[in-house]
Amino acid sequence: MSKKEIRGDLDGKGMKISIVVARFNEFITDNLLKGCLESLEMHGVSANDIKIYRVPGAYEIPLVVEKLAIQKNQSAIIALGAVIRGSTAHFDYVAGESAKIGNISQKYLIPVIFGVLTTDTIEQAIERAGTKAGNKGFEAATTAIEMISLLKKIDDGI
Ligand code: INI
């Protein structure tokens, strides 16, 4: 029996991307945004097709993501934030709320990518924002492009 494996490509030409980025822990989220934009540019997404929405903290991300998803005019939405347990008494609430974007993705059938760091320490967050452990923002953008492409293939009956 022949098997067919389908995966998304990494050609971002023509894709329209919205980025929702939290200002809280801005020294981290700025680096996530930098990595995210680097990946989008590297994969051919036009600067004219990128919109950046700033929100106060990760807790506010889902509302703006849902507001954008409802418009149905974006290829994907990328959420960027940094929730650090060490300095957050209500870590679980903030991190848990930000993760609700998964439900929005499924409700509106649009890739919503979780580029929110949830770490125990500031050091871990720094590592994942472009130093030792890659850049989660870069990964989020690459994932967005791959998922847009994969969904399109399904739409095209591939
Ligand atoms: N928001 C974050 O994005 N990261 C955090 O680590 C954080 N801490 O530490 O509390 C944080 N809090 C703010 C929160 O996201 C809301 O903006 C605030 O509670 C107002 O609704």
Side-chain angles (χ1 to χ4, degrees):
M1 202 171 69
S2 76
K3 293 187 197 68
K4 198 168 173 183
E5 185 180 306
I6 295 113
R7 57 173 73 187
D9 303 320
L10 292 180
D11 177 5
K13 217 173 332 114
M15 292 179 178
K16 295 190 185 312
I17 308 285
S18 284
I19 304 167
V20 181
V21 56
R23 283 199 310 271
F24 205 101
N25 290 322
E26 200 163 28
F27 68 108
I28 302 281
T29 63
D30 265 355
N31 281 334
L32 295 176
L33 179 60
K34 252 184 229 150
C36 182
L37 293 171
E38 211 177 288
S39 167
L40 294 177
E41 186 185 345
M42 180 184 291
H43 293 105
V45 178
S46 159
N48 295 326
D49 290 330
I50 300 171
K51 287 181 184 165
I52 301 168
Y53 298 88
R54 306 257 182 192
V55 294
Y59 192 86
E60 283 72 36
I61 287 175
L63 173 61
V64 175
V65 166
E66 182 146 8
K67 186 86 179 160
L68 291 168
I70 284 173
Q71 320 272 324
K72 292 194 179 289
N73 57 8
Q74 294 297 294
S75 312
I77 304 165
I78 299 170
L80 302 176
V83 193
I84 301 169
R85 189 185 290 276
S87 57
T88 319
H90 53 303
F91 173 93
D92 291 322
Y93 296 111
V94 176
E97 191 64 24
S98 69
K100 287 186 181 167
I101 59 173
N103 300 335
I104 301 169
S105 183
Q106 289 150 24
K107 184 167 158 193
Y108 297 97
L109 298 177
I110 175 175
V112 178
I113 311 303
F114 192 60
V116 178
L117 297 175
T118 54
T119 63
D120 286 330
T121 64
I122 289 177
E123 289 72 25
Q124 288 168 347
I126 291 170
E127 281 174 16
R128 290 164 204 183
T131 58
K132 260 206 228 150
N135 185 314
K136 183 93 174 160
F138 187 98
E139 276 172 36
T142 313
T143 301
I145 293 165
E146 181 179 345
M147 285 300 294
I148 295 163
S149 167
L150 180 61
L151 294 190
K152 172 142 191 345
K153 287 186 185 187
I154 295 170
D155 278 343
D156 292 346
I158 295 172

